[in-house]
Amino acid sequence: MGKLELQRCVLGTVFTNCYLVKNKETGELLIIDPADAPDKIFRKVSEMNGTPVGILLTHGHFDHILAVDAVKEKYGLKVYACEQEQEMLRDPSLNISRNCSIKPDVLLKDLDVFEAAGFSIQMLHTPGHTPGSCCYYLKDEGVLFSGDTLFLCSVGRTDLPGGSTAEIVRSLHRLLESLPDDTEVYPGHDDSTTIGYEKRYNPFV
């Protein structure tokens, strides 16, 4: 992974992966999907001795966003998300929370490349789980954060508001056809995998 140091917190009622991504050269740190339990995230940041500089959201469901406001406020961070996910993030009836409404600071378009924490990051719009589901690809580090689009030998559920089985299968094929086989994939739930492994064993291919 080169200059990338990665830690995972498994948080909340559905065991969501929150990733903390630190640049070992600068000490800057990104928080991907602050799912819940902000105190646990704060402790992990302290353990990693990092300086948070941004929050990346893969999509807007409650189990990925409940700690966003607390983390944003504590560290003064910008929130990044796909532009197609604005309504999901804003509306508690869509994101299945009781009262969580998020307004991203930076809205990304498909294939946008941006710099954060000293990393070059590309946002890939991968609809299907939600209309604005996305993945974050760090090409130089060989890492993809896939949210609830791609899991180990599976894909995200599509029976919630805005879900589409046809779209998530298209998104899966896009990822598997465009990224190198040795790309490490870190999903929103469960264990990591690689693009090459999913090409061989994912039943949705």
Side-chain angles (χ1 to χ4, degrees):
M1 291 187 196
K3 61 185 178 182
L4 185 151
E5 176 186 342
L6 178 66
Q7 295 285 332
R8 178 181 69 157
C9 295
V10 181
L11 304 172
T13 57
V14 290
F15 307 105
T16 302
N17 292 329
C18 169
Y19 295 103
L20 291 88
V21 179
K22 179 182 171 182
N23 185 322
K24 291 184 285 188
E25 296 177 357
T26 69
E28 295 174 307
L29 184 148
L30 297 169
I31 300 169
I32 301 176
D33 288 348
D36 200 352
D39 288 346
K40 292 183 179 179
I41 298 173
F42 301 156
R43 285 198 297 272
K44 183 64 70 173
V45 169
S46 180
E47 290 169 6
M48 294 178 71
N49 195 28
T51 302
V53 296
I55 295 170
L56 309 184
L57 300 180
T58 61
H59 66 290
H61 282 155
F62 78 98
D63 57 311
H64 291 252
I65 65 171
L66 287 178
V68 168
D69 283 343
V71 173
K72 177 180 180 177
E73 181 178 356
K74 181 174 178 67
Y75 299 114
L77 306 180
K78 290 185 177 180
V79 177
Y80 296 74
C82 176
E83 63 179 0
Q84 282 90 347
E85 197 72 347
Q86 292 181 77
E87 185 177 6
M88 181 73 66
L89 288 163
R90 178 190 60 80
D91 188 345
S93 69
L94 294 177
N95 63 44
I96 328 173
S97 71
R98 292 182 177 178
N99 56 9
C100 188
S101 179
I102 305 295
K103 183 178 180 180
D105 302 288
V106 182
L107 294 172
L108 300 166
K109 300 179 184 296
D110 185 35
L111 299 179
D112 274 354
V113 177
F114 61 100
E115 299 289 327
F119 298 110
S120 177
I121 305 171
Q122 185 171 48
M123 191 281 279
L124 305 174
H125 180 210
T126 51
H129 183 61
T130 65
S133 283
C134 70
C135 301
Y136 295 100
Y137 179 45
L138 283 65
K139 180 179 179 180
D140 294 341
E141 306 300 320
V143 168
L144 179 80
F145 295 96
S146 64
D148 286 6
T149 296
L150 172 59
F151 296 139
L152 173 63
C153 291
S154 189
V155 295
R157 61 188 293 183
T158 58
D159 59 334
L160 298 172
S164 166
T165 300
E167 282 196 325
I168 206 168
V169 170
R170 283 195 293 270
S171 293
L172 170 65
H173 279 268
R174 180 191 187 193
L175 294 174
L176 300 187
E177 291 166 8
S178 63
L179 300 180
D181 283 4
D182 62 354
T183 302
E184 295 281 346
V185 178
Y186 294 94
H189 301 272
D190 300 323
D191 294 329
S192 62
T193 182
T194 67
I195 291 294
Y197 189 89
E198 296 308 308
K199 282 183 179 179
R200 295 179 62 189
Y201 298 113
N202 195 302
F204 291 89
V205 175

